[in-house]
Every structure is written in structure tokens, then in C-alpha cells.
Amino acid sequence: MTARTCSAYNSRLAVLVRAQGAALVGSRQYGAIPGSCASEIKGLDEIPRGTSTLQGAYDALIARGFVQEDPAQAKTVARLQTLHSELANYTTSWDQYASEDTPRGLYIQGGVGCGKTFCMDLFFHCLRVEKKLRVHFHSFMLGVHKKLFELQKMSGADPLVLVAKEISDHASVICFDEFQVTDVADAMILKRLLETLVEHGVVLVMTSNRVPSDLYLNGLNRDQFLPAIDLIERVCDVFPFPAESPDYRLMGKESRTWMQPVTEESIETFEDDFKKLTKKRKIRSGVLEVQGRRVPVPCFSGGVAKFSFASLCQEAKGAADYIAIASSYHTVLVEGVPRMDEQKLPLVRRFITLVDVLYESHVKLIALAHAPVEETYAPKDASATRDEDFAWDRTVSRLTEMQTSEYLKGSWRGGTGFLRRLETQVMTEKDLKRVWEVYDINNNGYLSVGELRALMADVNEMKNGRRYVDEAEARRLFDAVHVCESEGIEWGEFKDYVVSHGGLIHVCESHYHFANTTAS
């Protein structure tokens, strides 16, 4: 492409987020995240993956001021360090079976925001195991159900055994985040699935708000799930955080991304935010294809989408629909979040799932609501045994954290899922432009070095299981693509370079030698 005169773009108000993304990598069917989440811990990129002790990494993060020392977390890290040592170079095979020497897993239980996931992700980052899988439980079960449905057409083999074998081929150690059972279909599958994995030596590490004996507490046919609880307690040490552990996510509520009540003024502010986020881009409507269904997206531009609460939670939607949204948009606006009580439990359940999925993908949420976060679900007759009442504490904690500047400055973790969907088909010019628009996070009409680095990191993780991309490496690609006079890579030069150099994935994965990258 020859140099040409390009239109200059004025600097505008920065959007609330920047995309560095990370999401479903590795064993694609089961929502595996081998390495992505640990990279969200500040300062961890400086510690080579799988080469340092867990305790050393934790101490280094404290010394550098990235982590506040916490006695309960320190105790959990010490217990995980023991398992880390026991699992050094651990591997399994479907032809082998667990023995008395198989290390016991760990079930980390504690209240919301106390640091369970932080400890597990630190463990995963440092784990010296070739086949390992870190997955959010929602994504995992969606993948299991999908695979079981596909295998129903086969005869002569037990589909659940085939699924267990495929999972064990990818993982000798599985780290489950937010292990919880609220669905009868999940409950009926889990006992046999976990039993088969454990039988073949797979080691389990879990985080959960509930102790094992309280899982699926009031569920339908719970007696059939009790053997799964017995199994977890038999193969895992239950390691609880103290009940008085602080909720770090409730500290530092700073922004106005949860707007309430609904008034003319708040409606105007909500709409103004959407305009600022989308700037001069054309507002479109569209659909997302989800397992043969179509999820309407009423308003979107680039990586920003706006929905009504009714369209997301009053209609029959589930985690798969929300994952597709979180994997397509780095910022989601939801208008009309109502007050809810126990008479509206289906809406409450969907909203809890929506928040869980958006939080897991680090999507930025802007909501127009009728009540403060903590009053949005207010049952008239609260029950400690009602799953929705129990889960709501986590939702309040997450919604509060999602309003902090720390969260809003963080990295979108949905980009890899977005790119993977495009990779499964021949990428058209329209698809390529969608990529350029989504990664133009501040909607100023071009990709900066940082935005290009975010795209490269997502491709690197999708293909190689690593997020890290050196800034100098991103600058080299930026300089190769950018030939005009504007401040960044415009659509025309992005398209011309990618098309002429073998396609987007090839440019990002191969052209700049990711295989030589040593950092995590």
C-alpha cells in the first residue's frame, strides 16, 4: 500500500475501558481458560508462568505493592503451595487410574470478594503442569451439555464417558471458579462426570461461596446429587476462608455506572453516555447466533451495545446467550432494571447469571435502574436457604466492584471468544471491519499501539495459550501497517495490510514470532 493522505481525527473523551481481552482458550468445548485469568492479577506478567513457587509469587506481589497482605489469603496460598509442590510435572492418561499417591484436590470456600479466585488464579499461573484447565463453572457446564447433545447421535458408547475422556485428554488438573449447582440438569450429570474424571487421576481445585454440604441445597431430586457431594469431600480438602474475611470488592465504589432512580435526568444521562461511547459511529441493530438461536441486539456500535432489561431477563435467555453478548461487546448498557422480590425469581435468576457472565468476561456495565444495587432484589420474606437470596450477596458485591475505577480500567476478557467465532468461518471484509471497530475502543477512528497490542494478545492467547505481547513487538506491527499521516491505523490500511499478508490470524500469530515470547 502506498502512502496516501489520510483524514486526521481529533482526540475525544476516552471511553470507560480499553480492551486487552482474554477468554475461552484451549479446550474450546468446555470454556477452558488456561492462563488468561491469572494474567488479570496486577504485576503477574512479570513472573514467568509455571516457573516460580506460588509462595514466592505471592510475596513478590505484596512487596511490589500489587496485593494487600491478608492473613486468610496467606494461609490459603500456603496450602495451595503444598499442592503446587505435589503436582510438579504431574500428568495423567486415560489408560491410567488414580492411586493412593494421587494428590488430594482443594475446595476453597468463602464469602464474596474475600480473594478465593485470586488465590486459585495465582496457583494456576505458577502450576508446573502441561495439561491444566481453568474454567468458570457456567462455561464448563454449557460446554458439557452441548457435547452431550452432539454425542447422542452416536451409538455403542456412553456419551458421558466420551465427554470425560475428552476433558481428561486436555487436563490433568482442573480449576473450577464459582462452583455452584442450581440446575437440575447439571446436578444429574455432575456425579458421574466428576467420578469418572477423578477415577482417571484428574485433580480438582474449586472455589465456591457454599460449603460442599450446602450445594444444590433445595434442588429438585437433591438426593440424587448427594453422592457428588460425598465425592468432592472424599477427593478434596475443604479449605474455608474465615467468615469475617472482608469483601474487597465493596471497597472504593467511585463511579456513576449504576444510575438510579429512573428520572428524566437519569434517562438523559444514560443516553448521553451511550452517545459518548459510540461517538460518530453508526448505530445498528443485529443478531447473535447462539446454538441455533438468534439473540437480537437492538442497538450497537463497535464494541458497545445497549439492551433493555426486559429483552435480557424477561425473555427465555440463559448463560449461553449472555456469554455470546459478553464475547462480542466490551461495554453493555442495560436500561430499566426493576425492583424485584421472590415473586419474580425467574428474572432474579437470569439477572444474577447475566452479572456473573459479564463480570467473568470483565465487560463494563452501565445500568439505568429503579433502585440502588443492594435494593434491586429485596424479598419480602428473606430465606437463607433460597438459592437466589444466597447468590444475591455475590451479585451485589460484583455490581459494586464493577463501578470502581480499578474495574473500569481493566481488561476485557471477551475478545478471544469473539475472534474464535470469526475463525470458524471464512472471514469477510465485513467481519474484518467489525474486528477493527471493536478494538477501536475509544471510537476515534483508528487503532493505537495499545489497541493493536490488545488484539495481538487476544489472538496470541487463542492460538498459543499465552496473553503476553511485548510492547516493542506491537510497535513493529503498528509501524508496518500504519503508513498514513493520522495518529493511528485507519480502517483502509488495516484492511489492505491484513488481506495482503495472509489474513488476520496469520498476521497476529505468525508474522511477529509469538513462539519466541517467554513472558506469560
Side-chain angles (χ1 to χ4, degrees):
M1 178 179 177
T2 59
R4 57 187 174 86
T5 302
C6 304
S7 58
Y9 291 85
N10 295 327
S11 297
R12 304 182 189 276
L13 178 68
V15 77
L16 294 173
V17 301
R18 58 185 175 85
Q20 292 179 342
L24 312 180
V25 193
S27 175
R28 299 180 185 180
Q29 296 89 341
Y30 307 105
I33 317 175
S36 64
C37 286
S39 66
E40 296 303 316
I41 301 173
K42 278 193 169 183
L44 206 59
D45 276 344
E46 302 170 23
I47 300 171
R49 188 181 302 279
T51 60
S52 65
T53 66
L54 178 65
Q55 190 67 54
Y58 180 64
D59 292 341
L61 291 173
I62 293 173
R64 296 171 190 173
F66 291 114
V67 173
Q68 177 180 334
E69 188 170 10
D70 178 282
Q73 291 180 14
K75 188 176 179 181
T76 306
V77 166
R79 175 60 183 85
L80 285 167
Q81 174 62 59
T82 301
L83 181 58
H84 173 272
S85 301
E86 293 172 347
L87 287 170
N89 302 313
Y90 182 74
T91 189
T92 56
S93 167
W94 186 253
D95 297 326
Q96 299 174 347
Y97 291 86
S99 68
E100 293 181 357
D101 296 328
T102 301
R104 287 179 61 80
L106 200 64
Y107 185 102
I108 306 171
Q109 182 273 330
V112 294
C114 64
K116 305 183 301 296
T117 298
F118 161 75
C119 293
M120 187 183 73
D121 284 348
L122 187 64
F123 166 79
F124 186 88
H125 178 92
C126 297
L127 190 59
R128 294 192 296 270
V129 172
E130 181 180 355
K131 298 192 305 178
K132 58 181 181 178
L133 187 156
R134 189 279 190 201
V135 59
H136 191 274
F137 191 66
H138 270 318
S139 298
F140 178 79
M141 290 310 301
L142 279 172
V144 169
H145 286 298
K146 180 179 178 182
K147 198 66 179 180
L148 286 173
F149 178 77
E150 294 172 356
L151 292 173
Q152 283 177 354
K153 302 172 185 177
M154 300 176 60
S155 59
D158 185 340
L160 200 60
V161 172
L162 295 177
V163 169
K165 182 180 185 305
E166 185 171 333
I167 295 170
S168 67
D169 286 343
H170 286 90
S172 299
V173 179
I174 302 178
C175 293
F176 287 114
D177 191 30
E178 298 291 356
F179 192 88
Q180 56 181 328
V181 185
T182 58
D183 183 86
V184 64
D186 292 351
M188 296 304 100
I189 289 171
L190 272 172
K191 186 261 180 182
R192 285 189 58 221
L193 179 61
L194 294 179
E195 191 172 61
T196 307
L197 291 172
V198 167
E199 182 183 7
H200 289 272
V202 175
V203 175
L204 306 176
V205 177
M206 307 175 180
T207 71
S208 181
N209 296 141
R210 288 189 182 272
V211 294
S213 59
D214 284 348
L215 289 169
Y216 198 50
L217 191 58
N218 296 299
L220 185 66
N221 297 325
R222 186 175 188 259
D223 58 321
Q224 296 182 41
F225 180 71
L226 294 178
I229 294 175
D230 293 339
L231 173 70
I232 291 170
E233 294 179 331
R234 189 169 70 249
V235 302
C236 294
D237 291 335
V238 178
F239 198 91
F241 269 68
E244 65 273 14
S245 295
D247 183 348
Y248 289 102
R249 294 195 298 234
L250 290 178
M251 301 176 184
K253 182 176 175 179
E254 299 153 9
S255 80
R256 283 278 296 164
T257 57
W258 184 273
M259 304 175 196
Q260 61 83 32
V262 177
T263 62
E264 289 186 10
E265 182 181 357
S266 63
I267 292 172
E268 183 177 350
T269 302
F270 182 81
E271 293 300 330
D272 283 346
D273 279 357
F274 185 57
K275 291 176 183 176
K276 289 175 183 176
L277 291 167
T278 54
K279 297 181 182 175
K280 291 185 177 180
R281 289 270 169 82
K282 181 179 179 182
I283 307 299
R284 304 182 180 94
S285 62
V287 294
L288 297 173
E289 298 288 340
V290 181
Q291 299 179 0
R293 303 191 311 279
R294 293 164 63 87
V295 178
V297 183
C299 298
F300 79 92
S301 177
V304 181
K306 184 174 70 169
F307 299 86
S308 68
F309 176 88
S311 67
L312 290 176
C313 298
Q314 289 182 1
E315 299 176 2
K317 286 186 172 62
D321 305 298
Y322 302 142
I323 288 172
I325 291 169
S327 297
S328 300
Y329 305 102
H330 54 69
T331 303
V332 170
L333 293 86
V334 179
E335 57 185 332
V337 180
R339 291 179 181 270
M340 294 173 282
D341 58 24
E342 64 268 43
Q343 301 302 314
K344 298 181 179 179
L345 287 182
L347 275 65
V348 176
R349 284 194 293 271
R350 292 186 190 115
F351 187 63
I352 289 172
T353 302
L354 171 65
V355 173
D356 281 348
V357 169
L358 296 182
Y359 179 87
E360 179 69 13
S361 293
H362 213 108
V363 173
K364 279 56 182 180
L365 171 67
I366 298 175
L368 179 60
H370 288 270
V373 167
E374 57 275 11
E375 298 175 17
T376 293
Y377 171 56
K380 295 181 176 66
D381 183 19
S383 170
T385 61
R386 188 186 293 130
D387 282 332
E388 294 78 9
D389 292 22
F390 187 88
W392 185 250
D393 287 342
R394 182 182 73 249
T395 304
V396 170
S397 177
R398 289 185 164 182
L399 286 171
T400 303
E401 183 191 356
M402 291 166 82
Q403 298 179 63
T404 64
S405 59
E406 185 78 8
Y407 182 92
L408 295 171
K409 291 175 183 176
S411 305
W412 178 42
R413 298 200 289 263
T416 312
F418 165 62
L419 294 172
R420 176 163 294 117
R421 289 204 309 275
L422 295 179
E423 189 193 19
T424 60
Q425 58 198 26
V426 177
M427 193 177 293
T428 65
E429 182 175 314
K430 182 179 178 181
D431 296 328
L432 191 60
K433 188 167 187 179
R434 172 96 174 101
V435 172
W436 178 80
E437 288 179 342
V438 166
Y439 284 89
D440 176 18
I441 297 301
N442 62 5
N443 270 359
N444 58 5
Y446 52 78
L447 299 184
S448 66
V449 175
E451 290 165 342
L452 181 64
R453 188 182 181 190
L455 172 58
M456 294 169 72
D458 282 347
V459 173
N460 191 23
E461 180 152 20
M462 180 178 75
K463 302 298 288 186
N464 304 317
R466 297 188 302 273
R467 279 213 50 72
Y468 185 80
V469 173
D470 185 75
E471 186 173 358
E473 200 167 39
R475 170 61 70 175
R476 285 197 297 272
L477 180 55
F478 180 88
D479 290 341
V481 179
H482 182 45
V483 296
C484 56
E485 298 172 358
S486 63
E487 296 181 41
I489 299 171
E490 295 188 0
W491 158 238
E493 51 190 346
F494 180 77
K495 176 190 68 174
D496 290 349
Y497 189 90
V498 167
V499 170
S500 63
H501 286 76
L504 176 67
I505 304 300
H506 177 76
V507 166
C508 291
E509 182 194 19
S510 305
H511 202 59
Y512 286 85
H513 313 297
F514 284 116
N516 295 329
T517 301
T518 57
S520 64

